[in-house]
Each structure stands twice: as structure tokens, then as C-alpha cells.
Amino acid sequence: MSLTAFISDKNFQELRDKFKTVFPKPKIKLTGEMVAPPLTNSYSIVGQAFDYLLRFTLEHLHSSKVKSWGGWVADGAYSIIERRVAETNSKTIRVGFRRDIEKNRNEFLIMLRTEYSNAKQNYKKYLADGILTDSLIKSVLYLARLDVTARAGMIDQNLGNENDLDVKDIRQLMAVLNHDHFKVDNHCFINPTFGDGSRMVGGADGDLIID
């Protein structure tokens, strides 16, 4: 049972009420204009890619204070796709939401392995120098598309073929990122899990806890 299903279950009404009391949701009223209006409609992919890049940035800025639980969601997705494609006997594979787009199996496998290796290298380079390159941005977009596979069970048709406007979208978001909002005094926990509490609901983690 997922965390959402657990909290929504009518048998746990008392628990749901407790959550509302202990963790009240703040009412946020947005005003003004967007500071980074999107250039494409790839909202979820760009958002997930920015999520990766924000964590990388915190690792770069606060390397001695960051603790990370486990690997990337994309790591698991890559392993599954790479094995599936490598073991298939067909000359082609099907990708896309409806699995109606054919790709050459060998070409896709080479792309998959190359882009994954590039992502790891770009990540390590960014941790060392903090320079935001287009190559790194394309890598986090690639990782975000792998995440889609892990969550939706299908291969994104644009995997490894990133849109230049999505790259610009990421740059816009990074340009307005206020590092003062992410100051770390002692500890920065990335993807923290919560022991038995996480295991009770089939796995659950947080995004970020600072101090």
C-alpha cells in the first residue's frame, strides 16, 4: 500500500485527521508574474530535471554536510530498460506512451548506455567545478525521462533526444534560484527515508531536509 493510499484509506480516518492536525498545509496565495515562464509544455520533465539539478547544486555547495540515501530513481529505471533491450531478440523496440513508436534496438541501446555514462560523468564534473553546462542540463533531462519509465512503466519516446527549449527552461529556473533559501549550517539530507515508517507503506522518502 502506498503512502497516499494508506492515508486515504477509510479504515485510517483517525490517522488522516491526525495528519491534518500535526502537519497543517499552509495556504499560499500566489501573486505577481512568473519569474521563469515555461517555454514548452514539458512541465513534469523540466520540473523533475530541475529537482535533480537542485540536489546536485546542494551537493556541490555543501559537500561536507550532505548525506544522501540510496541512488537515483533513474538508476533503477536504467538497469531495467538496459537489461530488457539487451535481452530482446527483436531488431526493434517499441517506445512511447502507447508503445506505438519503433526504434532500432542496437541504436537505442548504444544511446541508452552512452547517455547514462555521460550523466554520471557530468554529475561528477559538476560536483567538482559547479559549472552549469548544456551537457549537464541534457543529462538531468535524460535522468528525468528515465524516472518516467520507473513510475509509468513505459519508455519516453524523447529519451536521449532533448529539446533545446527545455534546456533554456532549466537555465531560467537556475537563474532565479536563491541560494540563501538553502543555507546549510550542519546537515543536509537528500532523499531521506524514515525506517519502519517508510517500509510500512511500501517505501517512501522525502526530498530534502536541511538542519
Side-chain angles (χ1 to χ4, degrees):
M1 180 182 290
S2 70
L3 180 58
T4 303
F6 184 75
I7 295 176
S8 303
D9 194 315
K10 293 181 180 179
N11 294 321
F12 299 101
Q13 177 69 43
E14 185 178 350
L15 177 63
R16 187 162 69 251
D17 292 342
K18 190 71 174 178
F19 261 86
K20 291 179 181 178
T21 319
V22 178
F23 304 107
K25 293 181 181 179
K27 292 183 178 180
I28 300 173
K29 184 177 182 180
L30 298 176
T31 59
E33 297 181 359
M34 284 189 185
V35 294
L39 302 175
T40 74
N41 61 357
S42 305
Y43 312 123
S44 60
I45 292 295
V46 169
Q48 187 64 32
F50 176 69
D51 185 288
Y52 270 108
L53 194 49
L54 174 58
R55 297 180 199 193
F56 295 173
T57 299
L58 291 173
E59 288 184 79
H60 165 69
L61 294 174
H62 309 289
S63 58
S64 64
K65 300 173 183 177
V66 167
K67 294 181 181 179
S68 182
W69 270 250
W72 305 334
V73 171
D75 285 333
Y78 169 79
S79 296
I80 293 170
I81 299 172
E82 195 273 345
R83 184 172 62 252
R84 184 195 307 166
V85 175
E87 292 177 353
T88 186
N89 294 321
S90 174
K91 292 183 179 180
T92 61
I93 61 166
R94 291 184 173 274
V95 302
F97 182 72
R98 295 181 178 84
R99 295 177 176 82
D100 56 350
I101 300 173
E102 281 195 337
K103 300 268 188 180
N104 179 281
R105 170 189 170 273
N106 288 333
E107 291 177 0
F108 184 86
L109 190 58
I110 291 171
M111 177 280 297
L112 187 70
R113 291 169 173 169
T114 300
E115 293 303 325
Y116 185 70
S117 176
N118 288 343
K120 291 291 184 178
Q121 292 175 23
N122 287 329
Y123 164 68
K124 290 179 180 178
K125 185 175 183 297
Y126 185 67
L127 292 189
D129 61 25
I131 298 174
L132 182 61
T133 63
D134 283 356
S135 182
L136 173 66
I137 295 175
K138 288 179 179 179
S139 284
V140 292
L141 285 164
Y142 167 82
L143 295 175
R145 294 189 192 281
L146 284 178
D147 279 18
V148 169
T149 299
R151 295 187 167 93
M154 61 84 175
I155 301 175
D156 190 305
Q157 67 190 60
N158 293 312
L159 185 66
N161 183 28
E162 305 309 334
N163 187 323
D164 288 340
L165 290 179
D166 288 339
V167 172
K168 290 182 179 179
D169 260 345
I170 296 290
R171 282 201 174 276
Q172 283 193 149
L173 291 169
M174 291 299 290
V176 298
L177 178 64
N178 188 340
H179 291 170
D180 288 340
H181 292 164
F182 299 94
K183 286 182 177 179
V184 178
D185 292 328
N186 299 298
H187 305 289
C188 178
F189 301 100
I190 294 177
N191 289 4
T193 54
F194 308 100
D196 288 340
S198 293
R199 287 187 283 274
M200 284 173 62
V201 291
D205 63 358
D207 288 325
L208 181 69
I209 299 176
I210 295 178
D211 295 323

